């Protein structure tokens, strides 16, 4: 499995210019904008970068070659989840550092509340990874973009309908508004863990059925 991790790290090294550009954009955003938007932005890009390694693996019938090496399909799936989640966490940490530097450069005091706010991005993007990874393994890079785009569009429409079309005086909405931030965070973390487990099971099933 260490060989697979080294392979994916080498793939990212080949995209060092793109990563450097993302860092520069993050620094500019930290200096010119307020809040934690830059943290969410860079964490999302980190997640997308790590998932893109699957496209490199399948390029030019690459899976057929990879699976001749001494590792199993199960080990490949485990490594991909570990790599993507680690990249997401690392992206979040780096973006927090950039945000802190930006605040200090603007003469503001860094608040540790930002770390708490940033931490919520990790389970949120873990849920995103749980959707994108099995779709990527099943349909490849081209079709997966369309499918994920459709899922995100549907989620946006549903969110808009819930926010604007459901009457504000409904008891369910009142109950939701009274839930504490800590409870919401716990719910999101539990959902993300469940999503990763279900996603892993789906990805294992996909890889076992996949022929190269």
């Amino acid at each position: 499995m260490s060989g697979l991790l080294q392979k994916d790290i080498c793939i990212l090294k080949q995209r060092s210019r793109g990563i450097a550009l993302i860092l520069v954009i993050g620094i500019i955003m930290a200096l010119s904008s307020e809040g934690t938007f830059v943290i969410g932005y860079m964490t999302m890009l980190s997640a997308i970068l790590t998932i893109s390694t699957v496209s490199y693996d399948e390029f030019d019938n690459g899976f057929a070659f990879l699976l001749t090496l001494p590792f199993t399909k199960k080990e490949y799936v485990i490594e991909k989840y570990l790599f993507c989640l680690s990249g997401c966490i690392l992206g979040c940490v780096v973006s927090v550092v950039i945000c802190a530097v930006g605040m200090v450069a603007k003469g503001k005091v860094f608040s540790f509340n930002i770390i708490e706010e940033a931490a919520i991005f990790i389970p949120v993007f873990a849920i995103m990874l749980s959707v994108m990874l099995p779709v990527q393994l099943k349909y490849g890079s081209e079709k997966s973009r369309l499918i994920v785009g459709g899922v995100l569009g549907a989620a946006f429409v549903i969110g808009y309908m819930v926010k604007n079309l459901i009457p504000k005086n409904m008891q369910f909405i009142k109950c939701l508004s009274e839930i504490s931030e800590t409870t919401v965070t716990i719910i999101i973390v539990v959902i993300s863990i469940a999503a990763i487990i279900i996603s892993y099971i789906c990805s294992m099933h996909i890889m076992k059925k996949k022929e190269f």
Side-chain angles (χ1 to χ4, degrees), residues 101-110:
V101 171
M103 291 182 70
V104 172
K106 290 186 288 187
K108 296 183 178 180
V109 178
F110 177 74

Side-chain angles (χ1 to χ4, degrees), residues 166-179:
I166 295 179
K168 303 290 184 181
N169 59 353
M170 286 185 65
Q171 190 66 30
F172 176 71
I173 301 299
K174 289 182 179 180
C175 292
L176 287 179
S177 63
E178 295 172 359
I179 297 176

Side-chain angles (χ1 to χ4, degrees), residues 123-139:
V124 169
F125 286 112
I127 295 172
M128 183 187 80
L129 287 171
S130 70
V131 174
M132 295 183 69
L133 270 174
V135 171
Q136 182 91 10
L137 291 171
K138 175 70 174 177
Y139 297 104

Side-chain angles (χ1 to χ4, degrees), residues 16-185:
S16 57
R17 291 184 180 179
I19 295 173
L21 180 61
I22 291 172
L23 291 173
V24 171
I25 293 173
I27 293 171
I28 294 173
M29 291 175 65
L31 293 173
S32 60
S33 62
E34 303 292 336
T36 57
F37 175 78
V38 63
I39 299 175
Y41 175 76
M42 292 190 66
T43 305
M44 179 185 70
L45 291 182
S46 299
I48 292 173
L49 272 174
T50 54
I51 292 174
S52 68
T53 57
V54 178
S55 300
Y56 282 84
D57 291 343
E58 67 183 9
F59 178 72
D60 199 18
N61 205 25
F63 272 131
F65 168 73
L66 281 175
L67 292 174
T68 62
L69 301 177
F71 63 85
T72 63
K73 292 180 179 181
K74 180 179 179 179
E75 289 174 327
Y76 176 85
V77 174
I78 292 173
E79 183 275 337
K80 197 58 67 177
Y81 275 85
L82 290 175
F83 180 73
C84 290
L85 289 172
S86 299
C88 187
I89 293 170
L90 180 61
C92 186
V93 172
V94 171
S95 61
V96 168
V97 173
I98 290 175
C99 184
V101 171
M103 291 182 70
V104 172
K106 290 186 288 187
K108 296 183 178 180
V109 178
F110 177 74
S111 173
F112 285 96
N113 290 334
I114 291 178
I115 297 177
E116 296 178 3
E117 294 176 14
I120 197 63
F121 286 114
I122 295 174
V124 169
F125 286 112
I127 295 172
M128 183 187 80
L129 287 171
S130 70
V131 174
M132 295 183 69
L133 270 174
V135 171
Q136 182 91 10
L137 291 171
K138 175 70 174 177
Y139 297 104
S141 58
E142 296 299 326
K143 291 182 179 179
S144 65
R145 291 172 189 170
L146 297 175
I147 294 171
V148 172
V151 170
L152 293 176
F156 175 80
V157 171
I158 293 171
Y160 177 84
M161 292 175 65
V162 169
K163 181 179 179 181
N164 295 281
L165 300 182
I166 295 179
K168 303 290 184 181
N169 59 353
M170 286 185 65
Q171 190 66 30
F172 176 71
I173 301 299
K174 289 182 179 180
C175 292
L176 287 179
S177 63
E178 295 172 359
I179 297 176
S180 65
E181 292 183 2
T182 303
T183 304
V184 172
T185 302

